[in-house]
Amino acid sequence: MASNKIQFRSIHELKDPALNNKLAQKEFQEEIPVEDFLGDAEQNGSSTSRRDFLKLLGFSTAAVTLAACEAPVIKTIPYVVKPHDIIPGVPNYYASTYFDGFDFASVLVKTREGRPIKIDPNPAAGDLGKTNARAQAAVLSLYDNDKVKQPKLDGKDETFDKVDDFVIKGLTEAKAGNKRIVLLSQSFASPTFKKLFAEFKAKYPTAELVTYDAFPYSAALDAAQEVFGTRALPVYDLKGTELVVSFQADFLGDYNAASLETSYATARTPGASMLRHIQVESNMSLTGANADSRYRLKPSAVNKTLVEVYNAIVGGAAPADQSAAEIVKEIQAKGNKAVVFADGSKGAQVLAHLINQKLGSVAFTGKANFLKEFDKARYNEFLGWVTAGQVGVLITNNVDPIYSHYKGAEFEKAIKNVPYVVAVADKKNAMYKAAKAVIPVANWLESWGDMEPQTGVYTLMQPTIQKIYKSRQIEESLLVWKNGKNNAANNYYDYLKASAASILGATSFNKALYNGITTSNNATTLSYAGGNGAQAAAELSGFKASELELVLYTKTSIGDGTQANNPWLQELPDPLTRMSWDNYLTISPKDAEKFEIDNDLNARMQLDGSIVNLTVNGVKIENVPVFIQPGQAEGSVGLALGYGKKNSGATADTGVNAYPLFDGSNLVVSGVKIEKTGEDHEFAGIQLQNTLMGRYEIAKEVPLAEFINVAFDDEHKGWNKPLEYHTISGALPARKIDLWDAFDDTDGPHFNLSIDLNSCTGCGACIIACQAENNVPVVGKEEIRMSRDMYWLRIDRYYSSRQKVEVYEGLKDGLAVPELYGTAFGDGGALNHPADNPDVIFQPVMCQHCNHAPCETVCPVAATSHGKQGQNHMAYNRCIGTRYCANNCPYKVRRFNWFTYNLNDKFDFNMNNDLGRMVLNPDVVVRTRGVMEKCSMCIQETQATILAAKRENRKVTDNEFKNSCACAAACSTGAMTFGDMNDKESEVRELYSSNRRYYLLEEIGTKPNVFYHAKVRNRVEK
């Protein structure tokens, strides 16, 4: 049961039993400079009572704080003719398509007075409308001050007119000389773009469209072509599946160009048919962290296990390996309700497809995903053209092979043979420098476009803001170069509208644009047509094992690096390591000991780690920091791609570039060597800086068998027994005991937030959504390291033991929490250390909006108070920065503004320039130095929703309130549900009655308005 599991947040808690107390004591390390506030020697020397001190403090600093909260006077010019669709203070929403070359989503773009400020999922798009952290953060990339701002020719500013003259001259010469014209573009599943290029090729017959992606999904596409006969990725749906077995496939992340987290969460609904998840992997991935059972193996061993599973399922051979035998037994028991995923190489994916074919897996829908189009053979053919001097004009569409291809240096050298190199680019990167002409690329929020992301689906993209700088999308350029300058047919909106008519049929363009998504006449389906299992098995068996093997992966925050200059994403903590502003080599605790790799906490509880030089098959990456990761397989290391981008903005130049180690196909590589440099790296992490009051019943979990067969409130075996206090009147439920008279909260809405730990995957989309909605500042690596993050919402990651212990017996003996680990992981059993292969739980924590809030009772100026609707309010202009509230908060969710983070050169991020500040939400004040802030349950949105309903003389619907809270609206899995408890039909009220519902630290009597649901693990506990 839940209380019998021990949880720890880092391996440092295993080493130091007193660490939790040390962290709590160091929560407030800076003394309040009373002398500076009082400024009077006579007063300083006197005996000042607490009451007098507060009087003086309030008098001397309240005026300063009040002045600091006032915005500078900026005179504005009113509309002479107001646009009919803009009402000041009222947001507009536009359906559009988010696509940046790596990520895709059908979205709603929230704009204020013509400025996009927020990205929301498009409910009309279903699974294709779900947004990850990168999609949520994409609005900030629009306001990137490091973008190329106008066209260039030979390194100098120039007009589009002159640049077009240069390009057309080159195209004409190439056509006359029978030289190839190559458009090197990212994958772009736009039927109108392809139609336009076909017309461009009709004018310039030597033109070729070649696809290049930094993270190309080459192995997956090659496998699909072999097995299905079509070069498109298969679409899966886990809703009817009862077992998923994954070999290195991070299918809750970037696997298969589409996350499966929505259908995964649906299938994981606790019950008799709940999906069971088995993960076989080397790195501790986001998907592996959510698994019920996780086999940690080095890559060569993963390959061996997959081959044995394939031979048993398809060939009928008995597995020799125990792990493989266990997996095969479970797969055969579930039959077509099982599905197998694999990643790392083409061979692995082929075997997974053939296993699913044998099973007749219901997860395979037959639909095709068209978002990825890279063909390695075609790209190599293009490189041959360049090397042979056959290319007269090279146009690169927002790609940079010099940075992201493992043969980037050779490419850079080869394109010097091309007379005309044109870069459609957003940054002054290596391609920008290599090009003779540069055209700034238009952001997707400034562009028209369309997409066919998968079978039968058609989406439209529309601009939500006028182009901020002199930029142009590739389609506009092709029209100019095809038709000639100043041609009336060069309007891409008109071209798109005409082209879409053949796809939309009877549906009007305006209706499709309004919805953002509609049906497509593309009926391509996938069916099993081939696949050489013996060859794939031989490929995997031929993988050469070595002492250390590397797994390359994409991080939840940065992905392939497209948005590497986005400070929201750089600061977003990794779900597993809880580190921000870095990529690093992950290594197991045992290998760290073997190679003398250290991760140590200094006196300020800051993490420092060893730095190594990494060599892989002769390719050397210098100065790579190493992070010791619980759950990493011995003999393996992991490294994230997408970092270390030079000349792509100040923020992008973070971490090390791992692309030189990636051949575009194989994510697992052997022949790895590491060499310590003797230097240490300063990590910026946030996992250890917030200490909850207590360690048990924080993140509850229960095995599925107990959940089904044991009553939650059973007197002896109950897994979620309601908390009771023994009083003079007998035992009473904790929430019925009160020191204060309760007020009537049944008049009007009373908001609660439900969080289901079983559905939360830790993806972080809610964190970015909260940051965008509430103007949460970026503080930078140095301040994160100082434990001064400003997040209103965090996702705590807990590791837990897999063996039961009698916790309370240990406590009776006076043992501290880490000392109990010896009980949990004693001699015998497969594990001899809790960091070897721990379970993981992700728990979002924000202000709990306590009905008996400890923060409210200690604030000397009543800056924080409780509202009738259940929200705990903050009046920033009253706050004088005593930080008593943060000290008294048991959940540690309040954030203190040590500095003014806007218009401050010390924090040179988006809030330090006029362009970046355009993303700010005008409905939420920008806080300044000396005040406390925290989650408000998006009160600006709930009040706007209530007022809109009042104007229309109607009741607010539950769905309106559910979308009023940014974190809940952004959650792809439905883990967060926001609503009105006084609405008897609301979903949050229904969730309140669940037997999995519990409160954080209920025993201290704060009576939160946020409640949680215990995590259920679908496995038999040993």
Side-chain angles (χ1 to χ4, degrees):
M1 46 187 176
S3 60
N4 281 349
K5 293 267 179 116
I6 288 184
Q7 294 156 356
F8 58 102
R9 294 178 299 172
S10 77
I11 60 175
H12 306 288
E13 288 187 3
L14 304 178
K15 298 177 181 178
D16 184 358
L19 179 60
N20 200 51
N21 289 333
K22 292 178 183 178
L23 291 168
Q25 291 166 6
K26 287 182 175 289
E27 180 183 358
F28 297 98
Q29 298 196 39
E30 304 291 334
E31 297 293 332
I32 298 177
V34 179
E35 291 79 5
D36 293 345
F37 285 145
L38 298 179
D40 189 323
E42 187 174 321
Q43 289 282 7
N44 291 342
S46 66
S47 175
T48 306
S49 70
R50 180 177 181 274
R51 182 182 296 274
D52 291 336
F53 164 71
L54 291 176
K55 283 181 182 178
L56 287 163
L57 186 62
F59 178 79
S60 60
T61 63
V64 176
T65 305
L66 183 61
C69 287
E70 292 178 352
V73 176
I74 301 176
K75 295 183 179 179
T76 59
I77 301 173
Y79 290 117
V80 177
V81 178
K82 186 181 79 66
H84 72 278
D85 56 346
I86 292 181
I87 301 174
V90 178
N92 289 345
Y93 290 85
Y94 299 91
S96 191
T97 298
Y98 161 61
F99 179 71
D100 64 357
F102 186 67
D103 291 297
F104 169 90
S106 178
V107 298
L108 299 180
V109 183
K110 178 183 179 180
T111 67
R112 281 293 303 269
E113 290 76 56
R115 296 179 296 111
I117 63 170
K118 181 78 167 52
I119 305 298
D120 287 323
N122 183 358
D127 288 359
L128 288 174
K130 304 302 182 181
T131 57
N132 58 18
R134 297 187 294 270
Q136 287 288 329
V139 67
L140 183 60
S141 292
L142 169 66
Y143 304 116
D144 187 344
N145 202 41
D146 292 322
K147 290 194 296 187
V148 179
K149 297 178 173 64
Q150 70 176 70
K152 308 276 183 178
L153 195 57
D154 292 324
K156 298 178 181 179
D157 292 347
E158 198 48 90
T159 63
F160 275 119
D161 189 63
K162 293 291 181 64
V163 170
D164 287 335
D165 284 341
F166 172 80
V167 177
I168 292 172
K169 179 175 177 288
L171 294 172
T172 304
E173 289 179 7
K175 179 180 178 180
N178 201 31
K179 290 272 192 174
R180 295 185 188 274
I181 299 166
V182 178
L183 173 56
L184 187 66
S185 176
Q186 61 200 16
S187 292
F188 196 10
S190 166
T192 302
F193 168 72
K194 289 181 170 58
K195 177 177 179 290
L196 175 56
F197 184 81
E199 294 176 5
F200 179 80
K201 182 175 175 63
K203 179 165 185 178
Y204 302 103
T206 58
E208 301 283 353
L209 177 62
V210 179
T211 299
Y212 174 79
D213 294 318
F215 193 84
Y217 292 90
S218 181
L221 289 165
D222 290 345
Q225 190 167 39
E226 178 179 326
V227 175
F228 306 115
T230 303
R231 197 169 181 79
L233 301 175
V235 175
Y236 295 96
D237 187 337
L238 300 178
K239 291 187 180 71
T241 307
E242 294 184 8
L243 174 67
V244 56
V245 181
S246 171
F247 294 86
Q248 300 278 34
D250 190 10
F251 62 81
L252 297 181
D254 299 325
Y255 173 74
N256 229 33
S259 173
L260 293 173
E261 60 183 3
T262 303
S263 63
Y264 176 82
T266 302
R268 297 276 289 170
T269 302
S273 59
M274 175 183 172
L275 173 71
R276 171 158 160 74
H277 175 191
I278 299 173
Q279 188 80 5
V280 186
E281 64 180 5
S282 306
N283 289 358
M284 173 71 88
S285 69
L286 186 69
T287 302
N290 284 279
D292 296 303
S293 298
R294 180 175 178 271
Y295 295 83
R296 56 185 182 91
L297 302 172
K298 64 191 300 185
S300 53
V302 173
N303 289 345
K304 180 181 177 183
T305 304
L306 175 56
V307 170
E308 290 208 26
V309 170
Y310 166 78
N311 288 335
I313 299 293
V314 178
D321 179 74
Q322 182 182 352
S323 299
E326 292 172 355
I327 293 169
V328 168
K329 183 179 179 181
E330 293 203 45
I331 292 175
Q332 290 174 333
K334 291 296 181 182
N336 69 348
K337 291 188 176 181
V339 65
V340 174
F341 299 132
D343 202 1
S345 65
K346 174 190 172 184
Q349 304 223 23
V350 168
L351 293 188
H353 291 321
L354 295 179
I355 292 172
N356 292 332
Q357 179 186 15
K358 179 70 174 179
L359 296 172
S361 174
V362 297
F364 177 73
T365 66
K367 295 179 181 179
N369 180 320
F370 305 116
L371 291 172
K372 300 300 170 184
E373 303 170 312
F374 178 78
D375 187 330
K376 191 172 184 179
R378 170 77 165 166
Y379 183 74
N380 287 337
E381 186 181 15
F382 154 70
L383 293 179
W385 300 337
V386 175
T387 304
Q390 298 175 9
V391 178
V393 179
L394 172 62
I395 305 164
T396 60
N397 180 33
N398 207 27
V399 295
D400 184 8
I402 300 173
Y403 157 73
S404 58
H405 195 267
Y406 74 109
K407 292 184 178 179
E410 296 177 22
F411 176 82
E412 184 177 23
K413 182 179 179 181
I415 61 175
K416 292 178 181 178
N417 299 327
V418 180
Y420 292 86
V421 178
V422 183
V424 180
D426 64 340
K427 301 291 191 315
K428 297 178 181 179
N429 53 28
M431 263 322 303
Y432 168 96
K433 291 184 175 181
K436 295 180 180 177
V438 177
I439 297 174
V441 65
N443 186 273
W444 66 278
L445 287 165
E446 303 170 318
S447 304
W448 287 102
D450 62 355
M451 296 279 288
E452 277 186 334
Q454 68 180 41
T455 302
V457 177
Y458 182 68
T459 68
L460 287 168
M461 178 188 297
Q462 63 176 315
T464 57
I465 188 173
Q466 290 290 335
K467 289 172 183 171
I468 297 173
Y469 292 115
K470 296 177 182 177
S471 59
R472 198 164 71 181
Q473 62 189 100
I474 186 65
E475 296 93 335
E476 292 177 294
S477 295
L478 290 177
L479 282 172
V480 172
W481 302 334
K482 176 177 78 79
N483 300 326
K485 297 188 301 182
N486 303 317
N487 192 308
N490 288 349
N491 186 310
Y492 185 61
Y493 166 73
D494 293 337
Y495 186 92
L496 173 67
K497 191 173 181 180
S499 173
S502 62
I503 300 173
L504 294 173
T507 304
S508 71
F509 181 80
N510 286 344
K511 183 178 180 181
L513 193 64
Y514 178 83
N515 293 326
I517 189 168
T518 187
T519 56
S520 163
N521 52 17
N522 187 335
T524 302
T525 57
L526 302 181
S527 58
Y528 296 100
N532 190 331
Q535 180 180 323
E539 176 194 325
L540 294 185
S541 299
F543 180 84
K544 188 176 180 181
S546 60
E547 182 184 19
L548 279 182
E549 297 166 8
L550 172 67
V551 179
L552 298 164
Y553 66 100
T554 54
K555 260 185 160 185
T556 302
S557 55
I558 299 300
D560 71 337
T562 299
Q563 294 193 77
N565 201 47
N566 189 316
W568 285 355
L569 293 175
Q570 288 285 3
E571 191 150 295
L572 178 66
D574 181 80
L576 274 305
T577 66
R578 305 294 287 140
M579 299 293 147
S580 62
W581 290 102
D582 272 317
N583 66 334
Y584 29 75
L585 200 68
T586 56
I587 194 169
S588 72
K590 287 186 177 177
D591 281 338
E593 185 176 353
K594 176 181 177 181
F595 291 101
E596 298 181 342
I597 300 296
D598 298 315
N599 276 182
D600 293 319
L601 292 172
N602 65 21
R604 293 186 63 93
M605 300 298 152
Q606 298 164 334
L607 186 66
D608 298 321
S610 298
I611 296 176
V612 300
N613 291 329
L614 173 67
T615 304
V616 181
N617 296 323
V619 180
K620 188 174 184 179
I621 307 292
E622 295 185 339
N623 299 321
V624 184
V626 186
F627 181 85
I628 300 174
Q629 174 63 58
Q632 182 83 27
E634 283 89 30
S636 73
V637 290
L639 184 60
L641 300 164
Y643 285 80
K645 296 185 79 170
K646 305 296 182 184
N647 303 308
S648 295
T651 300
D653 191 8
T654 298
V656 297
N657 181 12
Y659 275 115
L661 307 178
F662 180 39
D663 66 1
S665 297
N666 298 294
L667 290 168
V668 292
V669 190
S670 61
V672 178
K673 296 179 181 179
I674 59 175
E675 178 186 6
K676 284 183 67 175
T677 66
E679 302 294 324
D680 284 339
H681 178 78
E682 295 182 346
F683 286 104
I686 72 171
Q687 180 65 16
L688 289 174
Q689 63 197 51
N690 299 294
T691 55
L692 289 181
M693 177 194 267
R695 302 299 293 128
Y696 305 107
E697 308 294 308
I698 299 298
K700 286 190 178 183
E701 55 182 306
V702 58
L704 179 62
E706 287 188 29
F707 171 75
I708 295 175
N709 300 316
V710 179
F712 74 98
D713 57 353
D714 182 271
E715 183 179 355
H716 300 292
K717 296 183 178 180
W719 46 269
N720 192 24
K721 288 188 287 187
L723 181 64
E724 292 183 341
Y725 287 121
H726 295 281
T727 70
I728 194 171
S729 303
L732 291 175
R735 290 185 71 82
K736 295 292 185 182
I737 300 174
D738 238 329
L739 292 177
W740 292 275
D741 293 333
F743 59 86
D744 181 16
D745 58 10
T746 59
D747 180 20
H750 185 86
F751 297 116
N752 269 208
L753 178 63
S754 166
I755 301 175
D756 190 345
L757 301 185
N758 210 57
S759 299
C760 178
T761 62
C763 72
C766 55
I767 297 176
I768 300 296
C770 173
Q771 188 162 23
E773 175 67 29
N774 295 297
N775 301 334
V776 175
V778 174
V779 300
K781 181 175 180 178
E782 182 181 341
E783 292 302 303
I784 290 285
R785 186 168 163 81
M786 294 288 289
S787 303
R788 291 175 179 167
D789 72 280
M790 294 302 296
Y791 288 120
W792 286 12
L793 161 64
R794 69 177 191 266
I795 301 180
D796 286 338
R797 181 267 297 124
Y798 290 100
Y799 299 125
S800 64
S801 72
R802 294 181 59 179
Q803 293 173 265
K804 294 184 177 181
V805 294
E806 293 300 326
V807 171
Y808 299 107
E809 291 299 318
L811 289 177
K812 279 197 299 185
D813 296 335
L815 292 177
V817 176
E819 291 172 341
L820 288 168
Y821 294 143
T823 308
F825 298 89
D827 297 333
L831 298 178
N832 55 20
H833 193 282
D836 280 347
N837 195 21
D839 285 332
V840 181
I841 301 180
F842 296 106
Q843 183 175 53
V845 180
M846 67 294 291
C847 174
Q848 303 291 290
H849 295 274
C850 310
N851 289 307
H852 290 169
C855 56
E856 296 171 11
T857 57
V858 296
C859 181
V861 292
T864 180
S865 58
H866 208 69
K868 192 174 182 180
Q869 295 176 350
Q871 292 142 320
N872 174 267
H873 301 309
M874 271 300 304
Y876 299 123
N877 278 1
R878 294 185 64 89
C879 179
I880 59 174
T882 63
R883 296 180 289 166
Y884 295 162
C885 56
N887 192 37
N888 218 39
C889 174
Y891 306 100
K892 304 307 171 195
V893 290
R894 305 179 75 91
R895 301 289 175 260
F896 182 69
N897 282 266
W898 291 94
F899 303 96
T900 297
Y901 297 104
N902 62 90
L903 298 178
N904 185 341
D905 289 341
K906 179 176 171 62
F907 305 98
D908 194 14
F909 306 109
N910 63 293
M911 286 191 184
N912 197 44
N913 61 80
D914 289 340
L915 179 62
R917 286 165 59 81
M918 287 178 70
V919 81
L920 296 177
N921 182 358
D923 292 330
V924 181
V925 68
V926 176
R927 286 76 62 187
T928 191
R929 182 181 183 185
V931 301
M932 190 68 70
E933 60 184 75
K934 52 95 202 173
C935 163
S936 68
M937 277 191 176
C938 293
I939 190 171
Q940 69 280 358
E941 285 296 313
T942 56
Q943 290 307 111
T945 302
I946 292 168
L947 291 173
K950 185 179 287 187
R951 282 195 304 270
E952 298 168 14
N953 195 29
R954 62 173 176 81
K955 182 182 176 182
V956 182
T957 66
D958 183 40
N959 198 52
E960 286 179 287
F961 275 142
K962 283 167 67 176
N963 291 321
S964 293
C965 203
C967 57
C971 184
S972 297
T973 63
M976 293 182 172
T977 304
F978 180 77
D980 177 14
M981 285 292 289
N982 289 336
D983 179 358
K984 295 182 180 179
E985 304 301 319
S986 67
E987 185 178 351
V988 75
R989 180 151 177 161
E990 180 184 348
L991 290 168
Y992 180 83
S993 62
S994 168
N995 57 12
R996 288 194 292 129
R997 188 253 307 158
Y998 75 99
Y999 291 93
L1000 272 186
L1001 307 180
E1002 185 178 16
E1003 63 273 16
I1004 63 176
T1006 56
K1007 297 193 175 181
N1009 282 318
V1010 178
F1011 57 88
Y1012 293 80
H1013 295 264
K1015 185 176 182 67
V1016 179
R1017 293 202 187 273
N1018 188 357
R1019 69 171 180 233
V1020 177
E1021 297 287 352
K1022 297 179 180 179

